[in-house]
Amino acid sequence: MFKKILIANRGEIALRIIRTCREMGIQTVAIYSTADKDSLHVRFADEAVCIGKAQSADSYLNIPHIMAAAEITNADAIHPGYGFLAENAGFAEICAQYNIKFIGPTPEMIRKMGDKITAKETMIAAGVPVIPGSEALLESVAEAEQLATEMGYPVILKATAGGGGKGMRVVWSESEIEKAFTTAKAEAAASFKNDGIYMEKFIEDPRHIEFQVAGDQYGTVCHMSERDCSIQRRHQKLVEESPSPFLTPELRQKMGEAAIKAAASINYESVGTIEFLVDKHRNFYFMEMNTRIQVEHGVTEEVISFDLIKEQIKIAAGIPISGKNYEPKMCAIECRINAEDPYNDFRPSPGTITVLHTPGGHGIRVDSHIYAGYTIPPYYDSMIAKVIAIAQTREEAISTMERALSEYVIEGVKTTIPFHMQLMKNEQFREGNFTTKFIETFELK
Ligand code: MV4
């Protein structure tokens, strides 16, 4: 087992990783930017190294500085968390060169799944259902036009280097396709330095349902059931839950098998997520694979009673997994609390937290790095806490969440708590009747 892990991240996920390391008897090294000198991850870690200025490019994305911190502290592994360098194949490669274990998949796996058309080709070869469309990059407007005519409109153009919603264009009719193709390509080139574009049939009003998977270094793969992440705003998830109110046991079985097939096809090593789009007829299609631990991993941990960070560390250390799949035993719902003003287009609201009361009690887990007197810096993601409600039924989990949100006091900054309070009371939400379009039509009062 590793003796010392450097956590190449900040905020709640850095704390989350430090906590598991402590339970495993592993020493921890925090890295931090000048803006984060008073952060809890710095205080909770055994050692801490300041690696640069506030801007991410100078600190949490600065690979030479991070490697220097790992060298001087003699860390034998690096946990990247999520965001920042978590899906940077070059960083995973450099860790290997330094003989420091990157706690995640190999650079080849990250690269393969990071290029969306390569990921799709891999899934087609593995027999995993994918969204109908071009099975390679589009070479010309003429090709795009012909394919769209064959498939029928609407179609969607996606950047192969994209993912998470960046650089997409929905095309509703032939008259729009030339412009959409040109602008999507230019946007992809500017954002990703890769102008590769592919096409898919546009699935209207889908659900986003993802499966947690794990694979070890010996080719064993399992799934840990699903999370429903359909409640999103501008490609940012707001609420995640497990089990999905939309899945039947039969569909869970089928999608779980497909998720295992997907991960096994690349001999996936580490924990990861297979994202599916599910249409109204309950057809499901592979969309993307995330080769990292995700923000919403706690939802799965609570429904199957399992530490995913511990599993990820054990896999990286070469310990085999059992290979059994997991079914949800509980219902869990997570609300992401952001320092944003939900009444003002979710505008970021950094600043100092003057008063704080955190909810607790039966069925509540709060993962957060905030404290009274903490100043939320403006440089990073605005998520400041995740509240997870756990109960035997979805109804009870919603009631527990409402109770917890009503206890939560955060003064000094605006938060998304009022948004979540109203969402929990929404009839459609309570019935489990929602798709990725739900938030567009949801009006905050
Ligand atoms: C789609 C789609 C409909 N049809 N692809 C958004 C994020 C990126 N990973 C892919 N996305 C979508 N791809 C086809 N062929 C709809 C979306 C989409 C979406 C997906 C999941 C969750 C929220 C979403 C919001 C808007 C669009």
Side-chain angles (χ1 to χ4, degrees):
M1 186 41 69
F2 307 116
K3 290 194 171 61
K4 197 187 270 188
I5 295 177
L6 180 142
I7 297 115
N9 215 302
R10 62 181 301 281
E12 71 83 21
I13 192 62
L15 274 186
R16 168 73 193 81
I17 297 160
I18 291 167
R19 284 175 167 147
T20 284
C21 288
R22 177 138 303 163
E23 291 177 21
M24 295 176 79
I26 300 168
Q27 293 284 302
T28 53
V29 181
I31 57 166
Y32 64 100
S33 72
T34 51
D36 277 342
K37 67 175 176 24
D38 298 322
S39 286
L40 276 195
H41 77 282
V42 174
R43 293 198 221 169
F44 279 26
D46 297 303
E47 293 169 74
V49 182
C50 182
I51 52 150
K53 288 188 290 204
Q55 281 76 12
S56 301
D58 296 326
S59 48
Y60 301 105
L61 291 174
N62 188 315
I63 296 174
H65 290 190
I66 295 169
M67 297 319 293
E71 289 246 282
I72 59 169
T73 55
N74 209 19
D76 50 5
I78 295 182
H79 197 306
Y82 53 68
F84 296 122
L85 298 169
E87 288 172 292
N88 184 314
F91 179 59
E93 231 156 42
I94 290 165
C95 289
Q97 281 159 18
Y98 275 69
N99 215 14
I100 292 172
K101 179 68 187 174
F102 176 82
I103 301 175
T106 64
E108 295 73 33
M109 295 168 191
I110 298 173
R111 217 165 256 136
K112 208 170 211 180
M113 293 300 113
D115 185 70
K116 303 308 168 191
I117 197 73
T118 307
K120 205 169 166 179
E121 278 168 12
T122 309
M123 294 310 143
I124 294 168
V128 177
V130 300
I131 304 167
S134 63
E135 290 178 9
L137 295 179
L138 296 168
E139 296 297 335
S140 63
V141 179
E143 188 193 349
E145 229 172 68
Q146 196 194 338
L147 186 60
T149 305
E150 277 168 30
M151 283 200 300
Y153 289 89
V155 298
I156 185 167
L157 297 172
K158 295 183 175 181
T160 190
K166 267 195 276 176
M168 299 187 332
R169 276 280 185 297
V170 180
V171 191
W172 294 92
S173 70
E174 183 162 356
S175 65
E176 300 169 4
I177 194 141
E178 180 162 4
K179 187 165 175 234
F181 181 88
T182 313
T183 53
K185 219 167 164 58
E187 214 175 279
S191 317
F192 314 114
K193 296 182 195 134
N194 175 348
D195 70 353
I197 297 282
Y198 64 102
M199 184 187 291
E200 287 178 346
K201 180 82 190 155
F202 181 62
I203 312 277
E204 288 182 70
D205 230 3
R207 285 198 173 230
H208 172 128
I209 298 175
E210 57 186 32
F211 271 70
Q212 181 69 52
V213 294
D216 67 16
Q217 295 181 15
Y218 314 98
T220 305
V221 174
C222 73
H223 81 76
M224 285 125 164
S225 74
E226 81 282 5
R227 294 181 289 259
D228 194 318
C229 306
S230 300
I231 305 286
Q232 308 198 359
R233 184 182 174 275
R234 299 188 183 165
H235 305 299
Q236 291 289 330
K237 293 168 186 162
L238 300 170
V239 174
E240 306 95 353
E241 63 177 290
S242 186
S244 166
F246 195 63
L247 286 202
T248 60
E250 297 73 44
L251 190 53
R252 175 172 302 107
Q253 169 82 22
K254 271 176 39 188
M255 290 178 72
E257 279 168 16
I260 290 175
K261 227 194 243 182
S265 73
I266 58 163
N267 276 312
Y268 189 69
E269 171 197 334
S270 193
V271 299
T273 301
I274 310 293
E275 293 185 351
F276 293 103
L277 279 188
V278 185
D279 71 17
K280 58 176 181 287
H281 310 293
R282 291 192 163 80
N283 296 309
F284 66 89
Y285 308 94
F286 168 87
M287 185 164 60
E288 285 173 23
M289 178 172 193
N290 298 317
T291 56
R292 61 172 189 276
I293 190 79
Q294 284 184 279
V295 172
E296 60 270 27
H297 74 277
V299 170
T300 300
E301 293 187 322
E302 296 307 322
V303 298
I304 67 170
S305 199
F306 191 92
D307 183 336
L308 281 167
I309 301 283
K310 187 189 268 183
E311 194 71 357
Q312 192 184 24
I313 293 170
K314 283 165 67 180
I315 290 167
I319 297 170
I321 64 171
S322 80
K324 82 173 183 84
N325 300 322
Y326 291 79
E327 294 258 315
K329 291 187 292 246
M330 299 295 281
C331 290
I333 299 180
E334 171 173 274
C335 291
R336 294 190 187 189
I337 311 300
N338 294 347
E340 293 171 354
D341 182 357
Y343 297 100
N344 195 356
D345 204 31
F346 289 79
R347 211 164 63 163
S349 175
T352 300
I353 294 168
T354 51
V355 179
L356 178 67
H357 179 267
T358 304
H362 184 64
I364 286 294
R365 164 176 168 180
V366 180
D367 279 18
S368 175
H369 60 292
I370 64 174
Y371 56 86
Y374 173 65
T375 300
I376 301 158
Y379 307 100
Y380 316 108
D381 191 90
S382 60
M383 192 181 73
I384 53 169
K386 301 182 296 197
V387 181
I388 304 178
I390 309 114
Q392 303 226 332
T393 65
R394 185 171 186 270
E395 254 178 11
E396 289 173 297
I398 292 171
S399 301
T400 301
M401 180 63 82
E402 287 186 280
R403 185 272 293 168
L405 293 173
S406 74
E407 286 177 14
Y408 217 161
V409 180
I410 304 176
E411 283 178 19
V413 299
K414 301 263 186 357
T415 78
T416 51
I417 292 170
F419 164 86
H420 288 296
M421 296 243 261
Q422 200 187 310
L423 178 63
M424 292 303 126
K425 293 193 189 315
N426 180 278
E427 205 48 47
Q428 244 183 295
F429 177 77
R430 294 178 84 100
E431 286 168 6
N433 174 25
F434 52 81
T435 69
T436 51
K437 255 199 170 141
F438 178 78
I439 291 303
E440 279 177 35
T441 55
F442 181 76
E443 230 182 290
L444 194 65
K445 293 199 185 71

